[in-house]
Amino acid sequence: MLKVQLIAHTPEPEKVVAAAAKLCYSGASLDDLMAGLTPESSRRFVRMLADLGHESPTEHASFTFAIEGVSRSLLAQITRHRIASFSVQSQRYVRLEDFDYVTPPALEGRPDLEEGYRQAMEEEAAHYKKLADLLKEGHARRLMEEGLEEKEAHKKAEKMAIEDARFVLPNACETKMMVTMNARSLNNFFRLRCCRRAQWEIRALAEEMLRLVYPVAPALFEKAGPGCVAGPCPEGKMCCGETEAVRARYKALKGEEDQ
Ligand SMILES: Cc1cc2nc3c(=O)[nH]c(=O)nc-3n(C[C@H](O)[C@H](O)[C@H](O)COP(=O)(O)OP(=O)(O)OC[C@H]3O[C@@H](n4cnc5c(N)ncnc54)[C@H](O)[C@@H]3O)c2cc1C
């Protein structure tokens, strides 16, 4: 099951961004940058930057998430976001026998499909285990013949074996990761991945991440969400046709009004 935690962020993120704005637009000395910045004045600076379309100062505030219960399919999507840092559980070092896997919601309530899916996952796990065991056996034998001591040979053989056995693991296989993004990149991520055009899994993750960062820095994420939250739907003929419902959903998520 999807689990997301905001494990760290720049302390006083809006104040830091406001200080960057102050540096750009006033004659404030370094000693004065943080002085006199209250939460209210910081928010005014952040909103001023948003109105000007001056986004780079928001790069000074970073947010780090721990994420688990997501698929390798999601991993392929989220790592396309280049302005971010990732640490991902390794399939080269961690043996994934009896791996956990993500089931698409479309299968729920469809016992015929659910059963086939479960069987496919079990078969993948069995193939993985068999491959890993056979490969390990072969590698260990060869390494010992080459003169490596038994314990060391088995340790090395295990890593070599799971490195290749993982090729049979499915996209559904669960993974965990740590992700750090700055506020500018996060806003871009939310714009693309909260949109109904994004796949359900990464959309659910993006929404959860927004739910976590919004209370920490409401002005920085005031317009966060799919493109239609901040203006007209940018998707043209791909528009979902439910713009008002989507806007209401994100207002509710930010506690602005009931859905
Ligand atoms: C609905 C949807 C469908 C998608 N379908 C596909 C698909 O079919 N195939 C596919 O390959 N991908 C697909 N993607 C992924 C998409 O193309 C992007 O790779 C991904 O969303 C990351 O977005 P980004 O480049 O804005 O983010 P980041 O990589 O974080 O970049 C942030 C911003 O920095 C700037 N930037 C970063 N790198 C460069 C650069 N090298 N040159 C110039 N500017 C740069 C851009 O302004 C960019 O928007 C899809 C995404 C979505 C949301």
Side-chain angles (χ1 to χ4, degrees):
M1 206 176 78
L2 170 66
K3 186 172 175 189
V4 194
Q5 287 176 355
L6 176 63
I7 58 169
H9 59 77
T10 304
E12 301 185 280
E14 292 184 346
K15 193 170 173 181
V16 172
V17 172
K22 225 170 129 181
L23 183 134
C24 292
Y25 296 114
S26 80
S29 71
L30 294 193
D31 293 336
D32 294 338
L33 273 185
M34 297 291 268
L37 280 174
T38 62
E40 292 70 34
S41 63
S42 296
R43 267 166 210 167
R44 276 200 300 278
F45 270 114
V46 170
R47 289 194 179 111
M48 179 193 82
L49 289 171
D51 290 343
L52 291 171
H54 187 180
E55 295 180 47
S56 62
T58 67
E59 294 170 17
H60 295 293
S62 288
F63 299 81
T64 299
F65 304 87
I67 300 166
E68 68 177 24
V70 291
S71 69
R72 297 283 295 192
S73 175
L74 179 140
L75 177 66
Q77 295 179 322
I78 197 171
T79 48
R80 296 298 305 279
H81 291 265
R82 293 158 287 184
I83 317 297
S85 305
F86 300 96
S87 302
V88 182
Q89 184 185 52
S90 173
Q91 288 187 339
R92 291 180 67 199
Y93 291 92
V94 181
R95 196 174 173 114
L96 286 175
E97 231 162 270
D98 303 324
F99 58 83
D100 290 322
Y101 57 88
V102 173
T103 303
L107 271 64
E108 281 166 21
R110 295 280 311 270
D112 50 334
L113 298 184
E114 273 183 319
E115 181 51 22
Y117 191 76
R118 193 188 57 74
Q119 271 177 25
M121 293 302 133
E122 275 180 13
E123 280 165 25
E124 301 292 3
H127 287 308
Y128 174 83
K129 185 178 180 320
K130 190 172 174 188
L131 252 182
D133 289 347
L134 290 174
L135 283 169
K136 183 179 173 182
E137 201 181 297
H139 287 313
R141 196 181 322 113
R142 182 179 47 76
L143 288 167
M144 283 188 289
E145 279 166 12
E146 286 169 8
L148 218 61
E149 183 256 323
E150 188 179 346
K151 197 173 162 203
E152 191 53 31
H154 277 277
K155 197 173 152 202
K156 207 168 171 185
E158 165 81 2
K159 182 173 171 287
M160 290 165 84
I162 61 175
E163 243 176 27
D164 286 339
R166 71 185 167 142
F167 278 73
V168 299
L169 291 173
N171 268 334
C173 197
E174 273 193 14
T175 188
K176 52 188 87 174
M177 68 188 91
M178 251 172 75
V179 179
T180 299
M181 288 190 199
N182 64 48
R184 185 182 190 180
S185 189
L186 262 178
N187 271 314
N188 179 55
F189 176 73
F190 293 142
R191 189 174 55 76
L192 295 169
R193 303 300 185 172
C194 290
C195 175
R196 293 223 178 152
R197 283 194 60 212
Q199 208 195 351
W200 58 270
E201 191 184 17
I202 197 162
R203 185 150 35 94
L205 171 65
E207 227 176 76
E208 214 35 54
M209 288 163 69
L210 176 51
R211 208 186 297 280
L212 291 168
V213 293
Y214 182 74
V216 176
L220 270 176
F221 298 106
E222 200 159 58
K223 295 181 179 168
C228 63
V229 164
C233 169
E235 299 298 328
K237 62 182 181 187
M238 304 295 273
C239 176
C240 66
E242 293 177 47
T243 302
E244 286 313 317
V246 173
R247 286 178 182 150
R249 179 177 179 81
Y250 282 89
K251 272 189 175 166
L253 185 144
K254 294 173 188 173
E256 288 170 8
E257 67 186 41
D258 291 339
Q259 221 175 338

